Amino acid sequence: MFRGGLKLRERLVLCVSVITVLFTLLLVMDIQMDLGMTKKHLVPSHGRVIAPVQKEGLESAYNSFRNRLLQKTHSGLSTNVSKESLPSETAPLDPKNTNQINVVHEATKEMDNFEDLVDYLDLESHERKKFRVDLFRVHPVVVDDANEKKRRPNPSISEIKKINVESNATTLEKFHMQISKHELYPEGSALVDELLRLMQTEPILHVAQKTGGTQLKLIIDYPNELQALFKPMRFPREQQTLPNHFYFTDYERHNAEIAAFHLDRLLGFRRAMPVTGRLLNMTTELYQRAEGDLLSTFFVSPSDNLCFHGKCSYYCDTSHAICGNPDKLEGSFAAFLPSGKLAPTKVWRHPWRRSYHKRRKAQWETDPNYCQLVRDIPPYDEHRRLYDLMDMSVFDFLIGNMDRHHYETFKLFGNDTFTLHLDHGRGFGKPFHDEISILAPLLQCCLIRRSTLETLIRFHNGPGLKLSEAMRESMSRDPVAPILWEPHLVALDRRVEIVLKGIRDCLQKSEPSEDSNKIEDV
Ligand SMILES: Nc1ncnc2c1ncn2[C@@H]1O[C@H](COP(=O)(O)OP(=O)(O)OP(=O)(O)O)[C@@H](O)[C@H]1O
Ligand SMILES: [Mn+2]
């Protein structure tokens, strides 16, 4: 009885084991040979869908890119960016719709390495064109600027003006003379470091108010004709844009000017003048160096601190005074642009300018084909200008600057020249809100420079530091570091990802056009 029972149980166990082994074998065979018995649920959700037949050679890179891109087609974020945030696709932007952003944050939790974009950049230009033709896109999304960069002549101000730069020229003079047609300074410029050092340490000889613009700015004179544009600190770093302030009534933040210079340099644009922070002594470095109109606005506050308010159209009154703490004042110092005599600038109205009216909307906010219009108008119809506006849109989106009403270029370089990045005092105001409408130029035109896209991918994927880390490191050398409140640094990384998702979205869609037979070369 006892023995027989045991045997029966052994037999049962043996049977179950054999069945299990057989079933496992069957499963393994199914997965290996793709017999289709297991259906989708056995494929891990993050696993790649590999195309059944892949041609070798040239075609395989193309197929690999296509597969990856198409895999992303139904990603929540991608659809979200295109359907709700892109004016070119459907509804106009709704600044009140914070849902757009929330969904973005939800969907970004899983690490996305943008392998589809990386694959796309690896394609040969004819493969990229083929993909574009398949999608009925007339214009390329990614413009290859590498060859153009190598070929283009890049004369400096001194070359154009035929000025011989003497060895005893001042640092700012030398800097002005080397400004070139395509950038303010070359990568790794020692002159930039020297300018920053001088603005931080040289004695202040004279202080005057700068006219023009809406908020208080001072012109600082140092020895050797060095000049800087000073914006005072008004608030602690953590102060956010007041919810009822329009972008055009928002206070300027001195630290935003400093951070914007570092970001512009890290992104490889080099279109912003060098800016540093510095602590000033209110009495000896401001009050004793001021004259006339500015001097008459100095007063002593009830808590015995020296204050001033200057004269300007916004926030230049006793209730918005700038006071020492107790006698120290922090501010940003931007190296002065060349004089109007040496290199006058031309001021351009930004095509994606906001309405600057409490109720009115700008044309780009309601016209889904606005970019097609801009593309045909000089100077946006040739050379680098439209690409520069795309870079500016990325730059402003990263810093949250909605105040780009105009921009400037140096007249002596003509139209095929870089756009200056000036006036970033209204950036870095809302670290917990990503203002997608700032990306409207990029999302409506579906256009980005290859070099900019590669830089963003590098800051997102590595190798090297994340954008927030690179910014933290770059700004750590500033005398008034830390420059940014941590949530702003977190926002930078989050926004890089949003730009990349926007580009992915662009690569997947066709383009509204009257003449879809005309396909531009990359
Ligand atoms: N580094 C600089 N050196 C010399 N001039 C400068 C510099 N930066 C800006 N400016 C000039 O100063 C003027 C006003 O600067 P900015 O735009 O920063 O002031 P603003 O008060 O913010 O102006 P607005 O309120 O009109 O936006 C601009 O026309 C610009 O040409
Ligand atoms: Mn401004």
Side-chain angles (χ1 to χ4, degrees), residues 178 183-190 192 265-266 268 270 458:
Q178 59 81 60
E183 57 192 11
L184 274 174
Y185 54 90
E187 199 176 346
S189 163
V192 168
R265 184 168 61 170
L266 281 170
R270 298 188 289 276
R458 172 169 52 82

Side-chain angles (χ1 to χ4, degrees), residues 355-505:
S355 81
Y356 288 80
H357 186 281
K358 286 191 273 293
R359 286 173 297 275
R360 229 171 277 147
K361 279 197 168 183
Q363 191 185 344
W364 62 266
E365 290 177 273
T366 51
D367 180 356
N369 292 331
Y370 186 71
C371 182
Q372 301 305 324
L373 215 115
V374 179
R375 278 184 193 273
D376 291 335
I377 304 169
Y380 307 103
D381 59 343
E382 57 175 357
H383 305 311
R384 56 178 289 170
R385 187 64 58 87
L386 193 60
Y387 312 147
D388 277 7
L389 289 197
M390 300 302 123
D391 285 346
M392 209 187 274
S393 159
V394 170
F395 181 64
D396 283 336
F397 175 67
L398 293 177
I399 69 176
N401 176 30
M402 299 172 79
D403 190 32
R404 191 68 77 178
H405 39 91
H406 289 87
Y407 65 89
E408 300 180 36
T409 58
F410 289 111
K411 278 185 187 161
L412 78 172
F413 296 133
N415 281 352
D416 184 14
T417 185
F418 70 96
T419 54
L420 275 160
H421 289 173
L422 295 177
D423 188 13
H424 308 115
R426 292 194 177 112
F428 295 104
K430 292 186 175 180
F432 305 110
H433 169 77
D434 304 323
E435 184 55 52
I436 301 281
S437 68
I438 307 174
L439 268 186
L442 178 121
L443 299 179
Q444 290 188 338
C445 295
C446 271
L447 180 65
I448 192 166
R449 276 199 169 96
R450 184 190 177 105
S451 54
T452 307
L453 180 57
E454 283 174 342
T455 304
L456 294 174
I457 292 176
R458 172 169 52 82
F459 278 126
H460 183 267
N461 285 3
L465 302 177
K466 288 209 145 285
L467 185 56
S468 59
E469 295 163 344
M471 279 289 278
R472 202 180 286 111
E473 193 209 78
S474 180
M475 298 187 299
S476 67
R477 294 183 284 275
D478 193 278
V480 301
I483 302 301
L484 286 180
W485 186 33
E486 273 299 309
H488 289 297
L489 290 166
V490 174
L492 283 176
D493 294 337
R494 192 177 65 228
R495 291 171 190 165
V496 165
E497 193 162 347
I498 293 173
V499 178
L500 293 176
K501 293 200 170 177
I503 294 299
R504 167 184 288 157
D505 203 81

Side-chain angles (χ1 to χ4, degrees), residues 92-102 358 361 433 435:
L93 302 176
D94 179 4
K96 291 203 190 89
N97 188 354
T98 46
N99 272 349
Q100 295 170 0
I101 309 302
N102 291 340
K358 286 191 273 293
K361 279 197 168 183
H433 169 77
E435 184 55 52

Side-chain angles (χ1 to χ4, degrees), residues 156-438:
S156 65
I157 291 188
S158 67
E159 284 162 0
I160 288 179
K161 304 274 283 187
K162 299 196 168 53
I163 298 171
N164 197 15
V165 187
E166 307 279 338
S167 56
N168 64 352
T170 68
T171 307
L172 188 57
E173 265 172 355
K174 284 182 188 157
F175 183 86
H176 287 162
M177 289 300 164
Q178 59 81 60
I179 292 175
S180 67
K181 186 170 175 164
H182 293 293
E183 57 192 11
L184 274 174
Y185 54 90
E187 199 176 346
S189 163
L191 271 175
V192 168
D193 293 335
E194 181 60 5
L195 268 182
L196 293 176
R197 192 186 67 78
L198 293 174
M199 291 192 292
Q200 290 160 13
T201 54
E202 285 290 276
I204 288 164
L205 302 181
H206 188 256
V207 177
Q209 215 184 303
K210 172 144 178 38
T211 49
T214 50
Q215 296 192 31
L216 180 92
K217 283 172 294 294
L218 304 178
I219 300 174
I220 306 282
D221 286 329
Y222 300 91
N224 294 319
E225 276 148 61
L226 178 62
Q227 283 190 311
L229 192 68
F230 171 85
K231 291 193 180 181
M233 166 167 163
R234 285 187 178 268
F235 306 106
R237 311 278 195 271
E238 301 78 31
Q239 172 100 32
Q240 297 172 54
T241 301
L242 297 174
N244 290 325
H245 265 198
F246 284 97
Y247 39 88
F248 52 89
T249 55
D250 190 19
Y251 295 110
E252 299 223 306
R253 283 168 289 273
H254 74 302
N255 61 321
E257 294 281 3
I258 305 169
F261 155 66
H262 286 267
L263 182 64
D264 170 86
R265 184 168 61 170
L266 281 170
L267 293 176
F269 296 147
R270 298 188 289 276
R271 298 168 206 160
M273 288 298 277
V275 187
T276 180
R278 175 170 172 171
L279 269 180
L280 286 185
N281 181 297
M282 278 289 278
T283 311
T284 59
E285 293 179 302
L286 279 183
Y287 179 69
Q288 291 176 3
R289 302 285 176 254
E291 293 173 22
D293 271 2
L294 176 62
L295 189 62
S296 66
T297 72
F298 277 79
F299 63 96
V300 176
S301 75
S303 48
D304 255 0
N305 290 330
L306 187 57
C307 307
F308 73 105
H309 55 69
K311 285 190 178 154
C312 61
S313 45
Y314 282 28
Y315 312 120
C316 279
D317 52 57
T318 318
S319 58
H320 297 97
I322 295 146
C323 300
N325 184 19
D327 205 28
K328 287 271 175 205
L329 174 67
E330 194 180 301
S332 65
F333 294 71
F336 231 67
L337 287 166
S339 71
K341 215 171 132 220
L342 175 69
T345 59
K346 183 172 165 71
V347 181
W348 305 78
R349 204 187 143 89
H350 197 297
W352 276 267
R353 180 184 198 268
R354 288 169 198 278
S355 81
Y356 288 80
H357 186 281
K358 286 191 273 293
R359 286 173 297 275
R360 229 171 277 147
K361 279 197 168 183
Q363 191 185 344
W364 62 266
E365 290 177 273
T366 51
D367 180 356
N369 292 331
Y370 186 71
C371 182
Q372 301 305 324
L373 215 115
V374 179
R375 278 184 193 273
D376 291 335
I377 304 169
Y380 307 103
D381 59 343
E382 57 175 357
H383 305 311
R384 56 178 289 170
R385 187 64 58 87
L386 193 60
Y387 312 147
D388 277 7
L389 289 197
M390 300 302 123
D391 285 346
M392 209 187 274
S393 159
V394 170
F395 181 64
D396 283 336
F397 175 67
L398 293 177
I399 69 176
N401 176 30
M402 299 172 79
D403 190 32
R404 191 68 77 178
H405 39 91
H406 289 87
Y407 65 89
E408 300 180 36
T409 58
F410 289 111
K411 278 185 187 161
L412 78 172
F413 296 133
N415 281 352
D416 184 14
T417 185
F418 70 96
T419 54
L420 275 160
H421 289 173
L422 295 177
D423 188 13
H424 308 115
R426 292 194 177 112
F428 295 104
K430 292 186 175 180
F432 305 110
H433 169 77
D434 304 323
E435 184 55 52
I436 301 281
S437 68
I438 307 174

